[in-house]
């Protein structure tokens, strides 16, 4: 029995929110900052921050602005870099 080639390919569509999360993770990695550090800064649980960093939950706009400030980058940079991610 043969299967179409696409039956074995996982279709991983990445949402814009997941791209933003990936960009935040990348910037945190460049600066060697941890999710625990971010959770403390935002006064959020580590579980909440982990879900946002993994793209499982959307970022709150105010929190995302606070993340950008904490990282010392413009919010526009996080958003535009995410928009160009493949």
């Amino acid at each position: 029995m043969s299967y179409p080639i696409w039956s074995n390919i996982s279709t991983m569509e990445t949402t814009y929110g997941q791209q933003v999360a990936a960009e935040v993770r990348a910037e945190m990695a460049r600066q060697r900052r941890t999710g625990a550090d971010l959770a403390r800064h935002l006064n959020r649980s580590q579980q909440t921050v982990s879900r946002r960093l993994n793209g499982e939950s959307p970022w709150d706009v105010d929190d995302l602005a606070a993340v950008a400030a904490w990282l010392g980058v413009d919010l526009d940079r996080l958003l535009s870099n995410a928009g160009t991610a493949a």
Side-chain angles (χ1 to χ4, degrees):
M1 176 181 229
S2 71
Y3 294 96
I5 191 165
W6 58 84
S7 68
N8 294 327
I9 299 173
S10 173
T11 56
M12 296 269 306
E13 291 185 27
T14 304
T15 67
Y16 183 69
Q18 290 168 329
Q19 292 174 9
V20 170
E23 186 57 34
V24 171
R25 286 192 316 271
E27 187 59 38
M28 287 175 61
R30 285 189 283 273
Q31 296 186 22
R32 291 180 167 72
R33 296 198 178 198
T34 68
D37 295 335
L38 180 56
R40 278 191 295 277
H41 176 75
L42 295 175
N43 197 30
R44 302 276 187 253
S45 72
Q46 287 186 21
Q47 184 178 28
T48 295
V49 169
S50 177
R51 285 185 185 137
R52 290 178 180 175
L53 288 172
N54 290 323
E56 297 170 15
S57 296
W59 284 99
D60 173 273
V61 174
D62 293 330
D63 282 350
L64 193 54
V67 170
W70 179 68
L71 292 170
V73 299
D74 290 332
L75 178 57
D76 290 346
R77 179 174 152 207
L78 293 176
L79 298 176
S80 65
N81 284 353
T84 60

